[in-house]
Coordinates of all heavy atoms in Angstrom, one line a residue:
I1 N 0.8 -1.2 0.0 CA 0.0 0.0 0.0 C 0.9 1.3 0.0 O 0.6 2.2 -0.7 CB -0.9 0.0 1.2 CG1 -1.9 -1.1 1.1 CG2 -1.7 1.3 1.4 CD1 -2.8 -1.4 2.3
R2 N 1.9 1.2 0.8 CA 2.8 2.4 0.9 C 3.5 2.6 -0.5 O 3.6 3.8 -0.9 CB 3.9 2.1 2.0 CG 4.9 3.2 2.2 CD 6.2 2.8 1.5 NE 7.2 3.8 1.6 CZ 8.3 3.9 0.9 NH1 8.5 3.1 -0.1 NH2 9.2 4.9 1.1
D3 N 4.0 1.5 -1.1 CA 4.6 1.7 -2.4 C 3.7 2.2 -3.5 O 4.0 3.0 -4.3 CB 5.2 0.3 -2.9 CG 6.4 -0.1 -2.0 OD1 6.9 0.7 -1.3 OD2 6.8 -1.3 -2.1
F4 N 2.4 1.7 -3.4 CA 1.4 2.2 -4.4 C 1.1 3.7 -4.3 O 0.9 4.4 -5.2 CB 0.2 1.3 -4.3 CG -0.9 1.6 -5.3 CD1 -0.7 1.2 -6.6 CD2 -2.0 2.4 -5.0 CE1 -1.7 1.5 -7.6 CE2 -2.9 2.7 -6.0 CZ -2.8 2.3 -7.3
I5 N 1.0 4.1 -3.0 CA 0.6 5.5 -2.7 C 1.8 6.4 -3.1 O 1.5 7.5 -3.7 CB 0.2 5.7 -1.3 CG1 -1.1 4.9 -1.0 CG2 0.0 7.2 -0.9 CD1 -1.5 4.9 0.5
L6 N 3.0 6.1 -2.7 CA 4.1 7.0 -2.9 C 4.8 6.8 -4.3 O 5.3 7.8 -4.8 CB 5.2 6.7 -1.8 CG 4.7 7.0 -0.4 CD1 5.8 6.8 0.6 CD2 4.2 8.5 -0.2
E7 N 4.7 5.6 -4.8 CA 5.4 5.3 -6.1 C 4.6 4.9 -7.2 O 5.0 4.6 -8.3 CB 6.6 4.3 -5.8 CG 7.5 4.7 -4.7 CD 8.5 3.7 -4.4 OE1 8.6 2.7 -5.2 OE2 9.2 3.8 -3.4
S8 N 3.3 4.8 -6.9 CA 2.3 4.3 -7.9 C 2.6 3.0 -8.6 O 2.4 2.7 -9.7 CB 2.2 5.4 -9.1 OG 1.7 6.6 -8.5
T9 N 3.2 2.1 -7.8 CA 3.5 0.8 -8.2 C 3.6 -0.2 -7.0 O 3.8 0.2 -5.9 CB 4.9 0.7 -8.9 OG1 5.1 -0.6 -9.4 CG2 6.0 1.1 -8.0
F10 N 3.5 -1.5 -7.3 CA 3.6 -2.5 -6.2 C 5.0 -3.0 -6.2 O 5.5 -3.6 -7.2 CB 2.6 -3.6 -6.5 CG 1.2 -3.3 -6.3 CD1 0.3 -3.2 -7.3 CD2 0.7 -2.9 -5.0 CE1 -1.0 -2.9 -7.1 CE2 -0.6 -2.6 -4.8 CZ -1.5 -2.5 -5.9
G11 N 5.7 -2.7 -5.1 CA 7.1 -3.1 -5.0 C 7.4 -4.6 -4.8 O 6.5 -5.3 -4.3
L12 N 8.5 -5.0 -5.1 CA 8.9 -6.4 -5.0 C 9.0 -6.8 -3.5 O 8.7 -7.9 -3.1 CB 10.2 -6.7 -5.7 CG 10.8 -8.1 -5.6 CD1 9.8 -9.1 -6.3 CD2 12.1 -8.2 -6.3
G13 N 9.4 -5.8 -2.7 CA 9.6 -6.1 -1.2 C 8.4 -6.6 -0.6 O 8.4 -7.6 0.2
G14 N 7.3 -5.9 -0.8 CA 6.0 -6.2 -0.2 C 5.5 -7.6 -0.6 O 5.0 -8.4 0.2
A15 N 5.6 -7.9 -1.9 CA 5.2 -9.2 -2.4 C 6.0 -10.3 -1.9 O 5.5 -11.4 -1.6 CB 5.3 -9.1 -4.0
T16 N 7.3 -10.1 -1.7 CA 8.2 -11.1 -1.1 C 7.8 -11.4 0.3 O 7.8 -12.6 0.7 CB 9.7 -10.6 -1.2 OG1 10.0 -10.3 -2.5 CG2 10.6 -11.7 -0.6
I17 N 7.5 -10.4 1.1 CA 7.1 -10.6 2.5 C 5.8 -11.4 2.6 O 5.7 -12.3 3.4 CB 7.0 -9.2 3.2 CG1 8.3 -8.5 3.3 CG2 6.4 -9.4 4.6 CD1 8.3 -7.1 3.9
I18 N 4.9 -11.0 1.7 CA 3.6 -11.8 1.7 C 3.8 -13.2 1.3 O 3.2 -14.1 1.9 CB 2.6 -11.1 0.7 CG1 2.1 -9.7 1.3 CG2 1.4 -12.0 0.5 CD1 1.2 -9.0 0.5
L19 N 4.6 -13.5 0.3 CA 4.9 -14.8 -0.1 C 5.6 -15.6 1.1 O 5.2 -16.8 1.3 CB 5.9 -14.8 -1.3 CG 6.3 -16.2 -1.9 CD1 5.1 -17.0 -2.3 CD2 7.3 -16.0 -3.0
A20 N 6.5 -14.9 1.8 CA 7.1 -15.6 3.0 C 6.1 -15.9 4.0 O 6.1 -17.0 4.6 CB 8.2 -14.7 3.5
S21 N 5.1 -15.0 4.2 CA 4.1 -15.3 5.2 C 3.2 -16.5 4.9 O 2.9 -17.3 5.7 CB 3.2 -14.1 5.4 OG 2.3 -13.9 4.3
I22 N 2.9 -16.7 3.6 CA 2.2 -17.8 3.1 C 2.9 -19.1 3.3 O 2.4 -20.1 3.7 CB 1.8 -17.6 1.6 CG1 0.8 -16.4 1.5 CG2 1.1 -18.9 1.1 CD1 0.5 -16.0 0.1
Q23 N 4.2 -19.1 3.0 CA 5.1 -20.2 3.1 C 5.2 -20.7 4.6 O 5.1 -21.9 4.9 CB 6.5 -19.9 2.6 CG 6.5 -19.8 1.1 CD 7.9 -19.4 0.5 OE1 8.6 -18.7 1.2 NE2 8.2 -19.9 -0.7
I24 N 5.3 -19.7 5.5 CA 5.4 -20.0 6.9 C 4.1 -20.6 7.4 O 4.1 -21.6 8.2 CB 5.7 -18.7 7.7 CG1 7.1 -18.3 7.5 CG2 5.5 -18.9 9.2 CD1 7.5 -17.0 8.1
A25 N 2.9 -20.1 6.9 CA 1.6 -20.7 7.3 C 1.5 -22.1 6.8 O 1.1 -23.0 7.6 CB 0.5 -19.8 6.7
F26 N 1.9 -22.4 5.6 CA 1.8 -23.8 5.1 C 2.8 -24.7 5.8 O 2.5 -25.9 6.1 CB 2.2 -23.8 3.6 CG 1.0 -23.5 2.7 CD1 0.9 -22.4 1.9 CD2 -0.1 -24.4 2.7 CE1 -0.2 -22.1 1.1 CE2 -1.2 -24.1 1.9 CZ -1.2 -23.0 1.1
L27 N 3.9 -24.1 6.3 CA 4.9 -24.9 7.1 C 4.3 -25.3 8.4 O 4.4 -26.4 8.9 CB 6.2 -24.1 7.3 CG 7.3 -24.8 8.0 CD1 7.8 -26.1 7.3 CD2 8.5 -23.9 8.2
G28 N 3.6 -24.3 9.0 CA 2.9 -24.6 10.3 C 1.8 -25.7 10.1 O 1.7 -26.6 10.9
I29 N 1.0 -25.6 9.0 CA 0.0 -26.5 8.8 C 0.5 -27.9 8.5 O 0.0 -28.9 9.1 CB -0.9 -26.1 7.6 CG1 -1.6 -24.8 7.9 CG2 -1.8 -27.2 7.1 CD1 -2.3 -24.2 6.7
L30 N 1.6 -28.0 7.8 CA 2.3 -29.3 7.5 C 2.8 -29.9 8.8 O 2.6 -31.1 9.0 CB 3.4 -29.1 6.5 CG 4.2 -30.3 6.2 CD1 3.3 -31.4 5.5 CD2 5.4 -30.0 5.3

């Protein structure tokens, strides 16, 4: 959200953090 508001684009950093959160959730479920 911060990247979109300030830079009008979705940055790689935010996407990477979200992907990591999903992987951690799946690891916990496993």
Side-chain angles (χ1 to χ4, degrees):
I1 294 172
R2 179 260 181 198
D3 290 345
F4 183 76
I5 293 174
L6 297 181
E7 302 175 12
S8 299
T9 183
F10 290 112
L12 181 61
T16 302
I17 295 174
I18 289 178
L19 180 60
S21 74
I22 295 172
Q23 290 176 327
I24 290 173
F26 276 116
L27 182 62
I29 293 171
L30 179 61

